[in-house]
Amino acid sequence: MPTSTWTRLSPARRERVLVAAMDEFGTHGYSTGSLNVIAREAGVAKGSLFQYFEGKLDLFAYVAEQTSLRVHAAMRPWLDGYDGSTEFSRHLAGALEAWLDYFASHPLERGVTAATNMELDPAVRNAVRVPVQDIYLAGLRPLAERAVETGDLREDADVDALLSLLLVLLPHLALAVHTPGLEGPVRLVGEHPEVRRANIARLLGPLLADFVPKGP
Amino acid sequence: MPTSTWTRLSPARRERVLVAAMDEFGTHGYSTGSLNVIAREAGVAKGSLFQYFEGKLDLFAYVAEQTSLRVHAAMRPWLDGYDGSTEFSRHLAGALEAWLDYFASHPLERGVTAATNMELDPAVRNAVRVPVQDIYLAGLRPLAERAVETGDLREDADVDALLSLLLVLLPHLALAVHTPGLEGPVRLVGEHPEVRRANIARLLGPLLADFVPKGP
DNA sequence: CGGTCATGTGACCGGGTGGTCATGGGCGTG
DNA sequence: CACGCCCATGACCACCCGGTCACATGACCG
């Protein structure tokens, strides 16, 4: 958690620090990311960083949290718009589409998301997972629960299992698109909207297979 | 590439160094992995490491290469055994199954594979990708090409695209199983063989959808 | 004005890093 | 024996890291 000093800072200064940290962590990851570089790039003394955050890990966790908040905000229309009039899987595909669009136009957020998901150190993963996961869960759980009510998902569907599955696999899917050598075959980026939608549906289908009602 | 000195070393000493390096890189990744720790754990002076390899990156690339060779060797029966008598996708599922078994019983190799796939730094990724990717490609390409001949894959299937897709997604799938919170829903480990096979097929199907002949 | 408090700053610290190299031991050969 | 070669070794190097802290700045207030 940031210190109280951080919350009292001018928004401009906060944004400078945040952007510098997103850039550094997003391109080099947590362990290789350097506070010296962040301070220099933000035009701020290194000591100041420690007046804003308890330490490197605290800063990284904050960056990850803010990033997931931004991503979540960008997808809010899709999350809120689920009223049962469209099928659940179709709606989820729309959300994934919005996600891809967001990453395509927001490289900083994409980098941080990648760094978060690629992190090996369990201690770091855990420090970051709680805030980030809570944000995504808060957004997705209502959707899944409503889908159970409307019958788009099986009555006895294990919602927790579904959510954790989506939480771990979807980011990789959304990020894989930007992995050299993979952009082509997956065809989720730069395609005609209808083609892309079809491809998303094809990848999403089997993930949901266990949770939708059986039979035709 | 290792130096000529390395090739002249006693197999016991080579194995000690290799195991120590696999352990360290596999648990901490490339950038956080420490040569000091590797040397200590292998019972070897740090200077010796530099007599065997050009530097840290060279050692890591070697470790990644040896690891993929071991994985490849473990799957050789499945790769070689494809004679067209079984359907391609079924055979591929068998190979994936063998892969999961191997990772389950070989944590060192699983760690290195994870570290390789989770690496963010493009320079490191590139240094490692060439040897590793070549090994996997050499194993898989004949399979795919034979499948095109037998008609299990479309005549005009883009084999390169299929291979790169498998190369990037399958490792993540094989590793995700050991990610806390995901073991359950994916159900690819510790399951009854038939259940597991069905789940593998369900995940593999859509990946191949674009490459198999159309229509019933 | 002096005093207090919040904030900014960068020199500095201990420690770990990848990498180097002078030293010396072991061994085959002339 | 003495020579040369291969190799093992760990002290050592320059560098960078995350983190600390004594001090400067300046706004607010009695």
Side-chain angles (χ1 to χ4, degrees), chain B residues 1-214:
Chain B
M1 276 199 326
T3 63
S4 55
T5 301
W6 170 260
T7 67
R8 272 175 244 129
L9 242 44
S10 89
R13 192 175 173 92
R14 272 205 305 256
E15 184 68 9
R16 263 162 50 217
V17 171
L18 179 59
V19 166
M22 287 174 71
D23 196 4
E24 176 69 4
F25 284 135
T27 55
H28 299 306
Y30 171 73
S31 61
T32 315
S34 159
L35 294 185
N36 291 347
V37 172
I38 293 174
R40 187 191 336 126
E41 224 61 22
V44 149
K46 179 160 52 151
S48 294
L49 294 183
F50 288 87
Q51 229 153 10
Y52 306 153
F53 301 92
E54 286 169 22
K56 193 187 188 185
L57 189 54
D58 191 38
L59 171 56
F60 184 61
Y62 177 78
V63 166
E65 183 186 14
Q66 287 305 305
T67 299
S68 60
L69 277 175
R70 292 183 179 194
V71 175
H72 184 248
M75 296 173 60
R76 174 162 292 282
W78 275 263
L79 298 177
D80 288 352
Y82 181 64
D83 56 1
S85 65
T86 41
E87 195 203 350
F88 174 71
S89 69
R90 197 175 294 272
H91 199 80
L92 193 60
L96 184 53
E97 227 174 321
W99 202 2
L100 290 171
D101 287 339
Y102 184 76
F103 276 159
S105 59
H106 294 76
L108 248 48
E109 282 80 355
R110 167 160 49 90
V112 173
T113 308
T116 303
N117 279 83
M118 303 282 223
E119 178 58 44
L120 268 185
D121 186 338
V124 179
R125 290 189 70 104
N126 287 337
V128 153
R129 184 171 310 170
V130 174
V132 169
Q133 194 144 316
D134 282 356
I135 290 167
Y136 283 109
L137 282 178
L140 283 175
R141 168 160 275 125
L143 241 78
E145 285 171 351
R146 224 170 312 163
V148 171
E149 288 171 19
T150 65
D152 280 351
L153 290 182
R154 270 204 340 242
E155 196 180 356
D156 61 343
D158 185 344
V159 173
D160 285 331
L162 170 61
L163 291 177
S164 67
L165 185 63
L166 293 177
L167 243 52
V168 178
L169 283 192
L170 288 194
H172 273 294
L173 189 60
L175 294 168
V177 177
H178 303 277
T179 305
L182 191 62
E183 325 84 337
V186 209
R187 289 192 301 192
L188 294 182
V189 144
E191 286 289 330
H192 191 284
E194 288 175 18
V195 173
R196 192 173 69 161
R197 203 161 299 146
N199 284 324
I200 289 178
R202 222 176 52 216
L203 290 167
L204 222 44
L207 289 185
L208 298 177
D210 217 17
F211 302 96
V212 301
K214 284 180 185 171

Side-chain angles (χ1 to χ4, degrees), chain A residues 176-198:
Chain A
V177 178
H178 302 277
T179 304
L182 191 64
E183 325 85 337
V186 210
R187 289 192 301 193
L188 293 182
V189 142
E191 285 289 330
H192 190 284
E194 288 174 19
V195 174
R196 193 173 70 162
R197 203 162 299 146

Side-chain angles (χ1 to χ4, degrees), chain A residues 36-53:
Chain A
N36 291 344
V37 172
I38 293 174
R40 189 195 332 129
E41 224 61 22
V44 149
K46 179 159 52 151
S48 293
L49 294 183
F50 288 86
Q51 230 155 5
Y52 306 153
F53 302 91

Side-chain angles (χ1 to χ4, degrees), chain A residues 58-213:
Chain A
D58 191 39
L59 172 56
F60 184 62
Y62 177 78
V63 165
E65 183 187 14
Q66 288 305 306
T67 299
S68 60
L69 278 175
R70 292 184 178 194
V71 174
H72 184 246
M75 295 173 61
R76 173 163 294 280
W78 276 263
L79 298 177
D80 287 353
Y82 181 62
D83 56 2
S85 65
T86 41
E87 196 202 350
F88 173 71
S89 69
R90 199 174 294 270
H91 200 81
L92 194 60
L96 184 53
E97 227 175 320
W99 202 0
L100 290 171
D101 285 339
Y102 184 76
F103 276 159
S105 59
H106 294 76
L108 249 47
E109 282 80 355
R110 166 159 51 89
V112 173
T113 306
T116 303
N117 279 83
M118 301 283 215
E119 177 58 44
L120 270 185
D121 187 338
V124 179
R125 290 189 70 103
N126 288 336
V128 152
R129 183 172 311 172
V130 175
V132 169
Q133 194 144 315
D134 282 356
I135 290 167
Y136 283 110
L137 281 177
L140 284 175
R141 168 160 273 125
L143 242 79
E145 284 171 352
R146 224 171 309 164
V148 171
E149 287 173 19
T150 65
D152 279 352
L153 289 182
R154 271 209 333 245
E155 196 179 355
D156 61 343
D158 185 342
V159 173
D160 285 331
L162 170 61
L163 291 177
S164 66
L165 186 63
L166 292 177
L167 242 53
V168 179
L169 283 193
L170 288 194
H172 274 295
L173 189 60
L175 294 168
V177 178
H178 302 277
T179 304
L182 191 64
E183 325 85 337
V186 210
R187 289 192 301 193
L188 293 182
V189 142
E191 285 289 330
H192 190 284
E194 288 174 19
V195 174
R196 193 173 70 162
R197 203 162 299 146
N199 284 324
I200 289 178
R202 223 175 52 214
L203 291 167
L204 222 45
L207 291 184
L208 298 177
D210 217 18
F211 301 96
V212 300

